[in-house]
Amino acid sequence: MNQSRYANIVRIGAIYDIVATLPFAVPLLSAWAFQLFAGLDAWLGLGTSFSVLDPTSMFFINLGALAYVIWGVARLREPSVANGRLDALLRLLVVGLQMVALSQGATPILWGLAVVLSVFAVLQLRRPNHAVSTGPEKRALGY
């Protein structure tokens, strides 16, 4: 894969993240987005129990989603190998959190999200041809 294609993968992942998390970052939309998951779970007949979120829990959902949206914007502006590698790490950590949530009874819809995150992580861990890196970024990422 060449550098341009790698940058496009980072950008596409950033757009996906912004679209998927923006509703959770906006207080007036986050309750709707949460209910959307509950409705999809019910429509699929998965039978997962969804709790009503208190204002403190909703604040932390908004905070985390807002950070993820800003990270997406950063990758859109700078789709570098370093940002792709950091994003791959974040995606794998999120998949780990999804596995914990699934083990505790979260909606199986998370399996689908985990697949998408894992695919992006694998693609971003691949080394682009002719990657040019200088400075501390090069040393920190080991190439």
Side-chain angles (χ1 to χ4, degrees):
M1 154 180 10
N2 64 32
Q3 186 73 28
S4 176
R5 184 165 181 177
Y6 185 87
N8 284 337
I9 289 168
V10 173
R11 282 188 195 101
I12 291 167
I15 291 167
Y16 168 81
D17 291 342
I18 291 168
V19 170
T21 58
L22 186 61
F24 292 98
V26 179
L28 296 175
L29 293 178
S30 53
W32 168 81
F34 189 72
Q35 284 304 113
L36 185 66
F37 269 91
L40 180 59
D41 183 276
W43 183 75
L44 292 171
L46 300 173
T48 307
S49 174
F50 285 79
S51 306
V52 175
L53 295 175
D54 63 88
T56 304
S57 298
M58 193 59 78
F59 164 76
F60 283 108
I61 289 170
N62 296 149
L63 181 65
L66 184 59
Y68 220 78
V69 167
I70 297 301
W71 172 236
V73 171
R75 287 177 289 134
L76 274 176
R77 291 177 51 93
E78 184 60 43
S80 65
V81 173
N83 283 344
R85 297 287 196 264
L86 288 172
D87 188 57
L89 173 62
L90 177 59
R91 289 178 187 284
L92 294 174
L93 291 171
V94 170
V95 169
L97 292 174
Q98 289 173 322
M99 295 303 111
V100 170
L102 284 162
S103 75
Q104 296 174 352
T107 178
I109 294 169
L110 292 183
W111 283 109
L113 299 176
V115 168
V116 173
L117 293 177
S118 297
V119 167
F120 274 114
V122 167
L123 289 172
Q124 291 177 138
L125 288 172
R126 293 182 63 197
R127 186 176 188 157
N129 298 334
H130 309 295
V132 177
S133 181
T134 60
E137 171 187 299
K138 182 176 182 180
R139 289 188 299 276
L141 296 172
Y143 59 92

